[in-house]
């Protein structure tokens, strides 16, 4: 099992780069989620913390998926591949909830309300809430796309690592 092209030497680097950007997307989501939780002018339907259960699952398993991907690319331990795949699958199931709700909120803010083409100016559309929901949407979208690429690359990558931390001989300049 492995890459079926001549690019298999770059698989580990691809995993690390995709995982790093997926973690940046995850961090963007978590920042927006934290800001919205601290927002005093939350929307009336923001609800209780139990309604955001999948959002919290994404916050926990997203970071686990990202870091386990990087560590797997470096060490190539099979149990880390299992952790990477399982945490990625759980985070992919959880990312649907924030994508759906934040996407609907953003779309409602841009719906035309009359024939003149004016956009909806409803509650939260021109406030901090809109910014927080935009952060959460962008972060969860970037995370989901790049973590899928990371997971596929990790599963298809060769079983030996291209990274080494052994001492490299020093050459005089």
């Amino acid at each position: 099992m492995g890459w079926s092209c001549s690019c298999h030497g770059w698989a580990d680097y691809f995993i690390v780069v995709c995982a790093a950007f997926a973690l940046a997307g995850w961090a963007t989501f978590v920042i927006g989620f934290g800001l919205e939780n601290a927002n005093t002018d939350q929307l009336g339907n923001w609800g209780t913390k139990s309604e955001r259960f999948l959002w919290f699952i994404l916050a926990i398993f997203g970071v686990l998926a990202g870091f386990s991907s990087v560590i797997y690319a470096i060490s190539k331990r099979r149990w880390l591949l299992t952790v990477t795949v399982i945490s990625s699958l759980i985070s992919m199931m959880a990312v649907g909830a924030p994508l759906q709700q934040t996407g609907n909120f953003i779309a409602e803010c841009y719906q035309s309300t009359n024939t003149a083409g004016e956009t909806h100016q409803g509650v939260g559309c021109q406030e901090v809430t809109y910014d927080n929901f935009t952060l959460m949407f962008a972060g969860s979208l970037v995370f989901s796309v790049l973590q899928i690429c990371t997971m596929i690359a990790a599963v298809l990558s060769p079983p030996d690592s291209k990274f080494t931390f052994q001492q490299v001989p020093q050459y005089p300049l």
Side-chain angles (χ1 to χ4, degrees):
M1 194 179 223
W3 292 92
S4 61
C5 65
S6 63
C7 59
H8 65 83
W10 293 97
D12 295 331
Y13 300 110
F14 181 78
I15 293 169
V16 170
V17 169
C18 280
F21 283 111
L23 284 169
W26 170 85
T28 304
F29 165 76
V30 169
I31 289 169
F33 188 39
L35 288 172
E36 187 58 28
N37 277 331
N39 186 6
T40 57
D41 296 326
Q42 293 175 347
L43 296 176
N45 63 352
W46 182 249
T48 63
K49 292 187 186 317
S50 63
E51 293 176 3
R52 303 282 175 255
F53 177 73
L54 289 175
W55 299 43
F56 286 105
I57 292 295
L58 174 60
I60 294 166
F61 280 94
V63 71
L64 179 63
F67 281 118
S68 65
S69 301
V70 172
I71 295 169
Y72 171 74
I74 293 170
S75 70
K76 292 296 185 169
R77 295 201 168 101
R78 296 304 283 177
W79 66 270
L80 273 172
L81 179 60
T82 304
V83 170
T84 297
V85 170
I86 290 172
S87 59
S88 293
L89 290 174
I90 291 171
S91 64
M92 287 304 112
M93 287 188 288
V95 79
L99 276 174
Q100 188 270 336
Q101 187 167 5
T102 57
N104 280 344
F105 174 78
I106 293 168
E108 287 174 6
C109 286
Y110 284 102
Q111 294 299 317
S112 193
T113 56
N114 59 24
T115 57
E118 295 175 1
T119 56
H120 180 67
Q121 302 295 320
V123 177
C125 287
Q126 304 299 324
E127 300 167 1
V128 175
T129 300
Y130 179 81
D131 296 338
N132 295 341
F133 272 64
T134 305
L135 273 173
M136 290 185 286
F137 180 78
S140 56
L141 182 65
V142 167
F143 172 79
S144 63
V145 170
L146 291 175
Q147 190 61 35
I148 287 172
C149 293
T150 301
M151 186 174 56
I152 291 171
V155 169
L156 296 177
S157 69
D160 57 330
S161 180
K162 301 299 177 195
F163 291 103
T164 180
F165 293 107
Q166 298 172 356
Q167 185 174 359
V168 178
Q170 300 297 320
Y171 295 105
L173 295 176

